[in-house]
């Protein structure tokens, strides 16, 4: 009983599907050949019939290439109209070919030449419409031709149709060019079969061969142009992603160092708050309770800090065992740089004082990265490091001279300037990095330090 019920329920499903297929096909299912023909006719209508005379002016030529960029501004402005000038020149040449090929002098021949010229000039404004005008002008030129045995393409019509096909193919897509070539071939074969018996020479086959070569060249140009655009777009996206990745890597590095610094001092606060009551004989309960609250909040803050900032650590990241570097460690850094071949001098001005560890660490890293850039990009040059302890902050100036040319510079990874700017931005400082007049490079930084800020590292 159950099997019979299931069979009765499942039986109408294929029938309903077949009915829908039959309805979509107009009573009969569509064959792949019929579907292919329908797609082809739809493409033909879209390319050559739909908005055939739409206004599509030829844009100006871009002049931002490596060669045109070197030209004077006035000449570059004129060069933007070069495609328009070439089309006009081709139209004038075609007019002369029409007059010379058809004998010239007669008003009818001159008018057909103007018709050919108009068809070519129309490609500047309405490219698909220009194809139809050129195709319609071909039999007109043949009717008024005198003393020419060429059929169906008179010399002027031959040149006109070839130029129009080429220009329109460059302004449209390859599928449109293929449809134009097919319609041109259909017209030529029709004219030869039904009207070419009384003519000595028929030139449809030569015209189709020459036009096919021209359209092939244009198609290759289209493919290459599209490929260059895609590669350029991909390079832009890649450069943007690389910049973002570099920025994230530098921020991650800064976050790791900040985590280590803050976690260390929060641990000191917790330990001192726990030990403080034992340093006072008979402390009052209020004091014990206050230190207990301080310790509990320090432990909670430390746990939250490790939970939030700990996610930036890589799986293989290990916290450094040695203390983070400070400005007092610059001498050792400069010795290492001198051993690497960079002549560097240091100048310290102002009243030297101990600064917050975050400021000193950032200052040390900025000097380190600036000197590394000098080693990479200006090998053999001399550098100078100036550290200025001023009221309200710390000033840094790292400048190097031009490369000597004895050693080839090595390209960097693009992290240096980005990392320095991130550190300066984190401390609300200011930074400039620019080339000097003598061909060197200069980095100036100011890191603000408020007067009320407690001195770190004293606990």
């Amino acid at each position: 009983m159950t099997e019979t019920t299931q069979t009765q329920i499942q039986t109408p499903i294929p029938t309903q599907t077949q009915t829908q297929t039959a309805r979509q096909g107009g009573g009969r299912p569509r064959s792949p050949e019929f579907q292919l023909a329908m797609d082809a006719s739809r493409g033909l209508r879209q390319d050559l019939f739909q908005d055939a005379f739409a206004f599509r002016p030829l844009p100006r030529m871009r002049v931002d290439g490596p060669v045109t960029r070197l030209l004077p501004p006035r000449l570059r402005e004129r060069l933007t109209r070069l495609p328009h000038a070439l089309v006009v020149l081709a139209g004038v040449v075609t007019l002369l070919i029409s007059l010379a090929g058809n004998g010239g002098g007669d008003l009818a021949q001159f008018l057909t030449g103007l018709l050919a010229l108009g068809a070519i000039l129309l490609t500047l404004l309405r490219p698909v419409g220009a194809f139809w005008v050129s195709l319609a002008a071909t039999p007109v030129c043949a009717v008024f031709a005198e003393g020419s045995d060429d059929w169906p393409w008179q010399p002027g019509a031959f040149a006109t149709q070839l130029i129009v096909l080429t220009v329109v193919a460059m302004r449209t897509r390859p599928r449109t060019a293929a449809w134009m070539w097919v319609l041109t071939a259909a017209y030529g074969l029709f004219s030869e079969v039904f009207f070419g018996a009384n003519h000595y020479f028929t030139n449809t086959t030569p015209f189709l061969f020459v036009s096919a070569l021209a359209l092939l060249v244009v198609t290759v140009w289209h493919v290459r142009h599209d490929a260059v655009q895609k590669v350029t777009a991909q390079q832009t996206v890649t450069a943007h992603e690389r910049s973002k990745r570099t920025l994230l890597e530098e921020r991650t590095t800064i976050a790791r160092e900040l985590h280590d610094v803050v976690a260390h001092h929060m641990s000191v606060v917790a330990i001192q708050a726990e030990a403080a009551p034992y340093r006072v004989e008979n402390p009052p309960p209020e004091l014990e309770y206050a230190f207990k609250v301080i310790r509990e909040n320090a432990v909670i803050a430390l746990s939250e800090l490790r939970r939030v900032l700990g996610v930036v650590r890589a799986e293989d990241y290990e916290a450094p065992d040695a203390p983070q570097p400070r400005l007092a460690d610059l001498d050792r850094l400069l010795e290492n740089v001198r051993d690497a071949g960079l002549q560097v001098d240091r100048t310290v001005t102002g009243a030297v004082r101990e600064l917050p560890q975050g400021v000193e660490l950032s200052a040390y890293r900025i000097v380190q990265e600036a000197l590394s850039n000098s080693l990479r990009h200006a090998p053999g040059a001399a550098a100078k490091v100036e550290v200025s302890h001023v009221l309200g902050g710390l000033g840094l100036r790292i400048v190097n001279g031009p490369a000597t040319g004895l050693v080839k510079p090595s390209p960097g990874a693009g992290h240096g300037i980005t990392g320095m700017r991130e550190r300066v931005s984190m401390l609300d400082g200011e930074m400039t990095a620019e080339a000097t007049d003598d061909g060197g490079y200069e980095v100036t930084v100011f890191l603000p330090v408020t007067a009320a800020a407690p001195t770190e590292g004293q606990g």
Side-chain angles (χ1 to χ4, degrees):
M1 183 67 179
T2 304
E3 295 178 356
T4 305
T5 305
Q6 292 177 351
T7 304
Q8 291 176 355
I9 294 175
Q10 295 175 357
T11 300
I13 296 178
T15 305
Q16 184 178 1
T17 303
Q18 292 177 0
T19 303
Q20 292 177 354
T21 305
R23 289 177 182 176
Q24 293 176 357
R28 293 181 180 178
R30 293 180 177 178
S31 63
E33 293 79 5
F34 179 80
Q35 188 66 36
L36 182 62
M38 290 296 295
D39 294 339
S41 63
R42 189 181 302 111
L44 176 62
R45 291 195 305 270
Q46 291 177 354
D47 292 341
L48 295 182
F49 290 95
Q50 186 176 358
D51 296 331
F53 286 85
F55 184 70
R56 301 168 186 170
L58 178 65
R60 294 189 178 189
M61 185 180 72
R62 298 180 58 182
V63 289
D64 55 352
V67 178
T68 56
R69 197 179 302 164
L70 303 177
L71 300 176
R74 181 175 299 179
L75 183 57
R76 278 189 297 170
E77 178 65 23
R78 295 180 179 178
L79 197 62
T80 58
R81 293 293 187 181
L82 180 60
H84 305 75
L86 292 178
V87 173
V88 173
L89 178 62
V92 174
V93 172
T94 304
L95 174 61
L96 298 178
I97 293 176
S98 300
L99 297 178
N102 296 337
D106 186 71
L107 179 61
Q109 308 302 334
F110 183 71
L111 292 178
T112 56
L114 289 181
L115 182 61
L117 173 62
I120 294 177
L121 296 182
L122 192 60
T123 59
L124 298 174
L125 302 176
R126 307 178 191 274
V128 178
F131 163 74
W132 289 113
V133 172
S134 176
L135 192 61
T138 301
V140 176
C141 294
V143 170
F144 290 99
E146 293 182 0
S148 176
D149 292 330
D150 296 329
W151 183 263
W153 310 97
Q154 304 303 317
F158 191 103
T160 301
Q161 187 70 1
L162 181 62
I163 293 174
V164 168
L165 281 177
T166 304
V167 175
V168 177
M170 294 181 67
R171 297 203 55 198
T172 56
R173 50 185 175 177
R175 190 181 74 175
T176 304
W179 280 122
M180 291 190 302
W181 189 87
V182 169
L183 292 180
T184 303
Y187 166 78
L189 296 177
F190 177 82
S191 301
E192 284 192 4
V193 172
F194 293 97
F195 303 100
N198 298 326
H199 293 274
Y200 176 76
F201 178 71
T202 57
N203 55 2
T204 296
T205 300
F207 177 82
L208 294 180
F209 177 75
V210 174
S211 61
L213 288 180
L215 295 183
L216 178 61
V217 173
V218 173
T219 302
V220 172
W221 175 81
H222 268 298
V223 173
R224 183 182 180 277
H225 181 70
D226 294 341
V228 169
Q229 285 187 333
K230 291 180 180 179
V231 170
T232 303
Q234 186 62 36
Q235 289 177 345
T236 303
V237 173
T238 302
H240 181 67
E241 293 297 329
R242 186 184 297 112
S243 177
K244 290 175 60 178
R245 185 173 66 250
T246 300
L247 189 62
L248 291 176
E249 289 176 356
E250 292 300 328
R251 288 181 176 178
T252 301
T253 303
I254 296 172
R256 289 172 179 171
E257 295 177 347
L258 180 63
H259 173 270
D260 297 335
V261 171
V262 176
H264 166 72
H265 291 288
M266 290 300 295
S267 300
V268 172
V269 170
I271 294 173
Q272 289 185 347
E274 184 178 8
Y278 300 99
R279 296 181 180 179
V280 180
E281 185 176 359
N282 299 322
E286 295 82 0
L287 184 61
E288 291 185 354
Y289 178 76
F291 280 115
K292 179 181 179 182
V293 172
I294 293 174
R295 181 184 181 280
E296 290 177 353
N297 282 277
V299 172
I300 293 174
L302 184 61
S303 300
E304 289 296 321
L305 181 66
R306 288 173 176 170
R307 183 179 64 83
V308 175
L309 295 183
V311 298
V312 302
R313 297 189 185 275
E315 295 182 358
D316 56 349
Y317 176 77
E318 296 181 359
D321 297 331
Q324 295 290 349
R326 308 174 69 95
L327 286 177
D329 301 321
L330 277 182
D331 290 336
R332 184 171 54 186
L333 172 64
L334 298 182
E335 290 179 3
N336 293 334
V337 172
R338 293 188 186 100
D339 293 339
L342 180 66
Q343 299 178 4
V344 56
D345 296 327
R346 185 182 72 156
T347 303
V348 181
T349 59
V352 179
R353 65 188 186 278
E354 191 174 7
L355 301 174
Q357 185 174 355
V359 175
E360 294 214 4
L361 173 61
S362 295
Y364 180 90
R365 295 301 188 195
I366 290 171
V367 174
Q368 182 183 40
E369 187 59 43
L371 294 178
S372 298
N373 288 342
S374 300
L375 282 171
R376 283 194 296 265
H377 302 290
K384 185 177 182 180
V385 177
E386 297 179 3
V387 181
S388 303
H389 294 266
V390 297
L391 183 63
L394 176 71
L396 300 174
R397 180 175 178 266
I398 306 96
V399 59
N400 63 265
T404 59
L406 300 177
V407 181
K408 184 178 180 181
S410 60
H415 295 234
I417 299 297
T418 302
M420 287 188 282
R421 291 191 186 279
E422 281 297 309
R423 294 182 182 276
V424 174
S425 176
M426 180 185 67
L427 298 174
D428 295 328
E430 298 178 359
M431 170 181 166
T432 59
E434 57 187 3
T436 58
D437 295 336
D438 60 352
Y441 205 80
E442 179 180 359
V443 176
T444 57
V445 174
F446 176 75
L447 303 177
V449 179
T450 58
T455 302
E456 298 181 14
Q458 292 180 352

